[in-house]
Short mmCIF file of all heavy atoms in Angstrom, two decimals:
data_model
loop_
_atom_site.label_atom_id
_atom_site.label_comp_id
_atom_site.label_asym_id
_atom_site.label_seq_id
_atom_site.Cartn_x
_atom_site.Cartn_y
_atom_site.Cartn_z
N ASP A 60 197.89 53.48 79.01
CA ASP A 60 196.53 53.42 79.57
C ASP A 60 196.45 52.44 80.73
O ASP A 60 195.78 52.71 81.74
CB ASP A 60 195.52 53.03 78.50
CG ASP A 60 195.38 54.08 77.41
OD1 ASP A 60 195.79 55.24 77.64
OD2 ASP A 60 194.85 53.73 76.33
N GLU A 61 197.10 51.30 80.58
CA GLU A 61 197.09 50.30 81.66
C GLU A 61 197.72 50.89 82.93
O GLU A 61 197.23 50.67 84.03
CB GLU A 61 197.85 49.04 81.23
CG GLU A 61 197.26 48.33 80.01
CD GLU A 61 195.85 47.83 80.25
OE1 GLU A 61 195.64 47.11 81.23
OE2 GLU A 61 194.96 48.18 79.46
N TRP A 62 198.81 51.64 82.76
CA TRP A 62 199.48 52.29 83.89
C TRP A 62 198.59 53.38 84.48
O TRP A 62 198.46 53.50 85.70
CB TRP A 62 200.82 52.84 83.44
CG TRP A 62 201.47 53.77 84.42
CD1 TRP A 62 201.69 55.10 84.25
CD2 TRP A 62 201.98 53.44 85.72
NE1 TRP A 62 202.31 55.63 85.37
CE2 TRP A 62 202.50 54.64 86.29
CE3 TRP A 62 202.04 52.27 86.47
CZ2 TRP A 62 203.08 54.67 87.54
CZ3 TRP A 62 202.62 52.31 87.73
CH2 TRP A 62 203.13 53.50 88.25
N ALA A 63 197.97 54.19 83.62
CA ALA A 63 197.12 55.29 84.09
C ALA A 63 195.95 54.78 84.91
O ALA A 63 195.52 55.42 85.86
CB ALA A 63 196.63 56.11 82.90
N GLN A 64 195.44 53.60 84.55
CA GLN A 64 194.33 53.00 85.29
C GLN A 64 194.81 52.13 86.45
O GLN A 64 194.01 51.43 87.07
CB GLN A 64 193.46 52.20 84.32
CG GLN A 64 192.80 53.09 83.29
CD GLN A 64 192.01 52.30 82.27
OE1 GLN A 64 191.59 51.17 82.50
NE2 GLN A 64 191.79 52.89 81.10
N ARG A 65 196.10 52.17 86.71
CA ARG A 65 196.73 51.45 87.84
C ARG A 65 196.53 49.93 87.77
O ARG A 65 196.41 49.27 88.80
CB ARG A 65 196.26 52.00 89.17
CG ARG A 65 196.61 53.45 89.39
CD ARG A 65 198.12 53.58 89.52
NE ARG A 65 198.50 54.95 89.88
CZ ARG A 65 199.31 55.68 89.18
NH1 ARG A 65 199.84 55.23 88.07
NH2 ARG A 65 199.62 56.90 89.55
N ARG A 66 196.49 49.41 86.58
CA ARG A 66 196.40 47.94 86.42
C ARG A 66 197.77 47.29 86.56
O ARG A 66 197.86 46.14 86.96
CB ARG A 66 195.79 47.61 85.07
CG ARG A 66 194.35 48.00 84.95
CD ARG A 66 193.77 47.52 83.63
NE ARG A 66 192.41 47.96 83.50
CZ ARG A 66 191.89 48.44 82.40
NH1 ARG A 66 192.62 48.52 81.30
NH2 ARG A 66 190.65 48.83 82.35
N THR A 67 198.82 48.03 86.17
CA THR A 67 200.18 47.50 86.24
C THR A 67 200.92 48.12 87.41
O THR A 67 200.57 49.21 87.88
CB THR A 67 200.96 47.79 84.94
OG1 THR A 67 201.07 49.20 84.78
CG2 THR A 67 200.27 47.18 83.73
N MET A 68 201.96 47.42 87.86
CA MET A 68 202.77 47.94 88.97
C MET A 68 203.73 49.03 88.51
O MET A 68 204.18 49.85 89.30
CB MET A 68 203.57 46.80 89.60
CG MET A 68 202.74 45.81 90.38
SD MET A 68 203.73 44.45 91.01
CE MET A 68 204.70 45.27 92.26
N PHE A 69 204.08 49.01 87.22
CA PHE A 69 205.08 49.92 86.68
C PHE A 69 204.58 50.51 85.37
O PHE A 69 203.70 49.95 84.73
CB PHE A 69 206.40 49.19 86.44
CG PHE A 69 206.91 48.47 87.65
CD1 PHE A 69 206.74 47.11 87.78
CD2 PHE A 69 207.53 49.16 88.67
CE1 PHE A 69 207.19 46.44 88.90
CE2 PHE A 69 207.99 48.51 89.80
CZ PHE A 69 207.82 47.14 89.92
N SER A 70 205.19 51.60 84.96
CA SER A 70 204.88 52.21 83.67
C SER A 70 205.72 51.51 82.60
O SER A 70 206.94 51.65 82.58
CB SER A 70 205.24 53.70 83.72
OG SER A 70 205.05 54.27 82.45
N TYR A 71 205.07 50.73 81.76
CA TYR A 71 205.77 49.96 80.75
C TYR A 71 205.70 50.65 79.40
O TYR A 71 204.81 51.43 79.13
CB TYR A 71 205.15 48.57 80.58
CG TYR A 71 205.21 47.72 81.82
CD1 TYR A 71 204.05 47.28 82.44
CD2 TYR A 71 206.43 47.34 82.36
CE1 TYR A 71 204.11 46.49 83.57
CE2 TYR A 71 206.49 46.56 83.49
CZ TYR A 71 205.33 46.14 84.09
OH TYR A 71 205.39 45.36 85.21
N GLY A 72 206.64 50.31 78.56
CA GLY A 72 206.65 50.77 77.18
C GLY A 72 207.26 49.68 76.32
O GLY A 72 207.82 48.71 76.82
N GLU A 73 207.14 49.84 75.02
CA GLU A 73 207.66 48.82 74.12
C GLU A 73 209.16 48.63 74.28
O GLU A 73 209.69 47.56 73.98
CB GLU A 73 207.32 49.18 72.68
CG GLU A 73 205.84 49.08 72.39
CD GLU A 73 205.51 49.43 70.96
OE1 GLU A 73 206.43 49.57 70.15
OE2 GLU A 73 204.33 49.56 70.67
N GLU A 74 209.86 49.65 74.75
CA GLU A 74 211.30 49.54 74.93
C GLU A 74 211.67 48.54 76.02
O GLU A 74 212.82 48.14 76.13
CB GLU A 74 211.91 50.91 75.25
CG GLU A 74 211.58 51.47 76.62
CD GLU A 74 210.23 52.14 76.73
OE1 GLU A 74 209.51 52.26 75.72
OE2 GLU A 74 209.87 52.56 77.84
N MET A 75 210.69 48.13 76.83
CA MET A 75 210.95 47.15 77.88
C MET A 75 211.11 45.74 77.33
O MET A 75 211.71 44.89 77.96
CB MET A 75 209.78 47.15 78.89
CG MET A 75 209.53 48.46 79.57
SD MET A 75 210.73 48.85 80.82
CE MET A 75 210.35 47.62 82.03
N SER A 76 210.57 45.50 76.17
CA SER A 76 210.61 44.17 75.58
C SER A 76 211.96 43.87 74.95
O SER A 76 212.68 44.77 74.51
CB SER A 76 209.52 44.04 74.52
OG SER A 76 209.45 42.72 74.05
N THR A 77 212.29 42.60 74.89
CA THR A 77 213.49 42.15 74.19
C THR A 77 213.33 42.50 72.72
O THR A 77 212.31 42.17 72.11
CB THR A 77 213.63 40.62 74.33
OG1 THR A 77 213.67 40.29 75.72
CG2 THR A 77 214.87 40.11 73.65
N ASP A 78 214.33 43.17 72.14
CA ASP A 78 214.20 43.50 70.72
C ASP A 78 214.71 42.32 69.89
O ASP A 78 215.30 41.37 70.42
CB ASP A 78 214.91 44.81 70.38
CG ASP A 78 216.42 44.76 70.43
OD1 ASP A 78 217.01 43.72 70.08
OD2 ASP A 78 217.02 45.78 70.80
N PRO A 79 214.45 42.31 68.58
CA PRO A 79 214.81 41.15 67.75
C PRO A 79 216.29 40.78 67.79
O PRO A 79 216.63 39.60 67.83
CB PRO A 79 214.38 41.58 66.34
CG PRO A 79 213.25 42.52 66.58
CD PRO A 79 213.63 43.27 67.83
N LEU A 80 217.19 41.76 67.83
CA LEU A 80 218.61 41.45 67.89
C LEU A 80 218.97 40.79 69.22
O LEU A 80 219.74 39.81 69.26
CB LEU A 80 219.44 42.72 67.69
CG LEU A 80 220.96 42.54 67.69
CD1 LEU A 80 221.39 41.59 66.57
CD2 LEU A 80 221.66 43.88 67.56
N GLU A 81 218.42 41.30 70.31
CA GLU A 81 218.65 40.69 71.62
C GLU A 81 218.10 39.27 71.66
O GLU A 81 218.71 38.37 72.25
CB GLU A 81 218.00 41.53 72.72
CG GLU A 81 218.65 42.87 72.94
CD GLU A 81 217.83 43.79 73.82
OE1 GLU A 81 216.60 43.63 73.90
OE2 GLU A 81 218.44 44.69 74.41
N ALA A 82 216.95 39.06 71.02
CA ALA A 82 216.34 37.73 70.99
C ALA A 82 217.24 36.73 70.27
O ALA A 82 217.43 35.60 70.73
CB ALA A 82 214.97 37.79 70.35
N VAL A 83 217.80 37.15 69.14
CA VAL A 83 218.71 36.27 68.40
C VAL A 83 219.94 35.95 69.24
O VAL A 83 220.42 34.82 69.27
CB VAL A 83 219.12 36.91 67.05
CG1 VAL A 83 220.24 36.14 66.38
CG2 VAL A 83 217.92 36.99 66.13
N PHE A 84 220.45 36.96 69.96
CA PHE A 84 221.61 36.76 70.83
C PHE A 84 221.29 35.76 71.94
O PHE A 84 222.07 34.83 72.20
CB PHE A 84 222.06 38.10 71.40
CG PHE A 84 223.26 38.01 72.28
CD1 PHE A 84 224.49 37.63 71.77
CD2 PHE A 84 223.18 38.32 73.63
CE1 PHE A 84 225.61 37.55 72.59
CE2 PHE A 84 224.28 38.25 74.45
CZ PHE A 84 225.51 37.86 73.94
N LEU A 85 220.15 35.93 72.60
CA LEU A 85 219.74 35.00 73.66
C LEU A 85 219.58 33.58 73.11
O LEU A 85 220.03 32.61 73.72
CB LEU A 85 218.42 35.44 74.28
CG LEU A 85 218.45 36.63 75.22
CD1 LEU A 85 217.02 37.05 75.57
CD2 LEU A 85 219.24 36.30 76.47
#
Side-chain angles (χ1 to χ4, degrees):
D60 294 342
E61 299 298 306
W62 168 247
Q64 295 176 23
R65 298 292 186 237
R66 292 185 183 137
T67 62
M68 290 177 69
F69 306 101
S70 175
Y71 298 118
E73 292 180 10
E74 70 279 357
M75 300 285 292
S76 186
T77 303
D78 71 35
L80 182 60
E81 292 168 335
V83 170
F84 181 65
L85 285 172

